[in-house]
Amino acid sequence: MGGTAVETLRESLRGEVIGPEDAGYDEARSIYNAMIDRRPAVIARCADSTDVRTALRFARDAGMDLTVRCGGHSGAGLCMADDALVIDLSGMRWVRVDPAKRTAQVGGGTQLGDLDHEAHGYGLATPAGIMSTTGVGGLTLGGGHGHLTRAYGLTIDNLLAADVVLADGSTVTASPDEHPDLFWALRGGGGNFGVVTSFRFALHPVKDVGLAVTLWEPEHIGAVLDWYRTFLPAAPKDLNGFFATLRVPPAPPFPEEIHGRRMCGVVWCTTGALDEEGLAKTFAPVVEPARPAFHFATPIPYPGIQAMFDELIPKGLQWYWRGDFFDRITDGSVDVHGTFLENIPTELSTMHLYPVDGAAHDPDREDTAWAYRDAVWSGVIGGISPEASEAEAIRTWAVDYWEALHPHSMGGAYVNFLGADEGGDRVRATYRGHYDRLAEVKRTYDPDNVFHHNQNVVPAGG
């Protein structure tokens, strides 16, 4: 793409246009996962939906590939492509809360921390992720789960409407009453259908929550998982807890004597009683499988629990991940977790099982594109390292772990946990019987598959 073309685009947009010759290019093309090193032709940092339409039209007229970047947290790096035009929504980062209606209108480039902060000022929140730097857009379009999922459902269960720039450059609002087929597809169908420039969410009365972290020695993983797989699904919906295998971070609240040690554990969040007596009662059962090596519980503002991993795993690390859905934790999978806990390759590599039951089971499977309403956990295996020299080691560990665990899964995965190298069959498995319906919606709204740098749904008949 020549300098003249970049200047033409620059003159057409209110937002910033960044080309390879510009000083900020390398920073603008960098994303959360440092394993992704791609060189787009131009980055259009859009200021508003008119900029989005202009950039989209420019790319189509020029016959260019197109990607969309929200928060840049795509582990697969789908928001960046070589020689493409990137529609970067980071200039559209805003939140407007209506406390009377308990809703929030959110710009397409907003990060979760922005939404959490603004809603918290009114004692409100919505379930969305576990890191404040994640983009609202990518997380929501994939379905979205987090600390509040058992209490209030998936992020898409709290989506009320979305403003979308379509492949032909037109703008529509998708909601239960307008373009309901598109609204259905947006709720879990990923970035296949257009550029969402704003979202409207339902909020819930959440200000502070109870945070707890419980860790056990590796030899207790069998007893812990046997207890956890029964305890949590039977627990009140106001209690959430994701299971993890990990090395203990060298940071508070963990005492120095366990830093770096391999452990299994649960990160808990409760919206129940937050006083000392209430927290003690809620977490009293953690001693049942085995005596914990560490247990810590405290009330914390909701934005605080959302930001607790930000410094531990910041932008710029090497990442490789794989995921799957699980409706049960089988005895065989317990053995797999124990084996791979023992050979975690780096200090940050980990495995998480996020609960997607409770309120997430309330909608019917046909209500949204999310096809796994019968799943109980959404699992992810993350190989993570600050060192590029360890990229192959973390990839090998994650793939080997996934291959050993996959036979115990439901067959598909949370779309945001799919790797770029897993292929179309995995996308189909993720959408189960919804894939053909998604393909029909794709044919209606993006028949030329303009939006294909994603976990792609091919237009029906294409």
Side-chain angles (χ1 to χ4, degrees):
M1 187 174 171
T4 301
V6 172
E7 287 306 315
T8 299
L9 182 61
R10 187 172 280 130
E11 291 170 3
S12 303
L13 265 61
R14 293 183 66 195
E16 186 179 10
V17 174
I18 305 168
E21 303 304 318
D22 294 319
Y25 176 74
D26 283 338
E27 175 59 28
R29 71 183 181 89
S30 70
I31 59 174
Y32 187 71
N33 184 0
M35 197 178 286
I36 309 301
D37 183 18
R38 296 178 185 147
R39 300 186 65 85
V42 64
I43 299 167
R45 191 164 284 164
C46 299
D48 51 33
S49 60
T50 297
D51 275 2
V52 172
R53 293 195 302 272
T54 301
L56 173 59
R57 183 172 60 249
F58 184 95
R60 297 207 66 176
D61 289 348
M64 298 178 67
D65 256 3
L66 182 78
T67 69
V68 182
R69 182 189 191 276
C70 301
H73 264 249
S74 170
L78 300 174
C79 54
M80 286 286 157
D82 291 329
D83 302 320
L85 185 150
V86 178
I87 292 181
D88 184 336
L89 302 179
S90 59
M92 302 171 64
R93 189 173 168 181
W94 50 265
V95 180
R96 293 194 294 268
V97 172
D98 184 330
K101 294 181 179 179
R102 289 184 179 172
T103 62
Q105 193 81 17
V106 176
T110 301
Q111 295 183 5
L112 298 188
D114 305 324
L115 173 58
D116 297 335
H117 170 78
E118 189 68 18
H120 182 71
Y122 300 97
L124 301 169
T126 204
I130 65 163
M131 291 192 67
S132 73
T133 57
T134 303
V136 171
L139 178 124
T140 300
L141 295 176
H145 48 62
H147 293 296
L148 300 178
T149 288
R150 295 193 76 244
Y152 298 116
L154 302 171
T155 309
I156 54 173
D157 300 333
N158 295 276
L159 182 63
L160 303 174
D163 295 323
V164 190
V165 176
L166 302 175
D168 64 4
S170 62
T171 301
V172 300
T173 296
S175 72
D177 301 318
E178 302 177 79
H179 300 278
D181 56 340
L182 177 61
F183 187 59
W184 175 87
L186 291 175
R187 289 177 292 162
N192 275 284
F193 307 98
V195 183
V196 180
T197 56
S198 74
F199 300 83
R200 184 158 58 91
F201 294 106
L203 302 176
H204 303 276
V206 176
K207 190 171 182 66
D208 296 342
V209 297
L211 160 69
V213 181
T214 311
L215 301 178
W216 292 269
E217 299 286 356
E219 60 265 28
H220 299 308
I221 189 171
V224 171
L225 278 172
D226 183 51
W227 167 78
Y228 172 77
R229 66 187 174 185
T230 301
F231 170 76
L232 190 65
K237 291 181 180 180
D238 62 15
L239 179 63
N240 196 85
F242 71 82
F243 179 83
T245 58
L246 72 157
R247 286 185 175 181
V248 180
F254 306 110
E256 187 173 348
E257 58 266 25
I258 65 171
H259 287 178
R261 288 172 55 184
R262 291 172 174 84
M263 297 267 184
C264 63
V266 180
V267 177
W268 306 97
C269 175
T270 178
T271 56
L274 304 183
D275 61 340
E276 185 176 349
E277 181 180 353
L279 291 176
K281 182 177 180 181
T282 297
F283 297 114
V286 302
V287 300
E288 293 177 9
R291 181 180 177 181
F294 174 81
H295 179 74
F296 170 83
T298 186
I300 188 173
Y302 180 67
I305 195 173
Q306 288 286 85
M308 65 182 291
F309 297 114
D310 290 359
E311 292 187 12
L312 177 65
I313 42 177
K315 178 181 176 181
L317 303 177
Q318 303 284 314
W319 277 81
Y320 186 88
W321 62 30
R322 288 281 184 97
D324 264 323
F325 284 121
F326 301 89
D327 58 358
R328 67 200 69 186
I329 297 173
T330 66
D331 291 345
S333 71
V334 171
D335 295 336
V336 172
H337 291 306
T339 297
F340 284 88
L341 168 58
E342 290 296 334
N343 62 17
I344 292 177
T346 62
E347 290 188 357
L348 294 173
S349 294
T350 187
M351 186 286 307
H352 293 173
L353 291 173
Y354 298 108
V356 287
D357 62 328
H361 280 186
D362 292 344
D364 186 83
R365 179 190 289 185
E366 303 305 316
D367 289 348
T368 65
W370 176 283
Y372 279 85
R373 291 292 176 178
D374 50 343
V376 182
W377 287 279
S378 169
V380 64
I381 300 159
I384 312 168
S385 173
E387 304 298 332
S389 61
E390 294 185 311
E392 186 56 34
I394 61 175
R395 183 189 185 282
T396 298
W397 178 78
V399 172
D400 289 351
Y401 196 161
W402 180 85
E403 288 179 347
L405 197 58
H406 183 64
H408 303 277
S409 76
M410 301 175 74
Y414 177 36
V415 68
N416 289 343
F417 289 159
L418 288 179
D421 56 353
E422 294 190 59
D425 288 345
R426 280 283 281 162
V427 177
R428 281 186 170 271
T430 285
Y431 290 119
R432 281 173 151 177
H434 290 173
Y435 185 90
D436 290 343
R437 182 177 173 185
L438 284 166
E440 291 292 343
V441 178
K442 180 79 168 179
R443 178 165 63 178
T444 299
Y445 291 96
D446 184 16
D448 299 324
N449 206 9
V450 171
F451 301 105
H452 63 271
H453 282 285
N454 44 45
Q455 301 298 352
N456 195 234
V457 174
V458 179

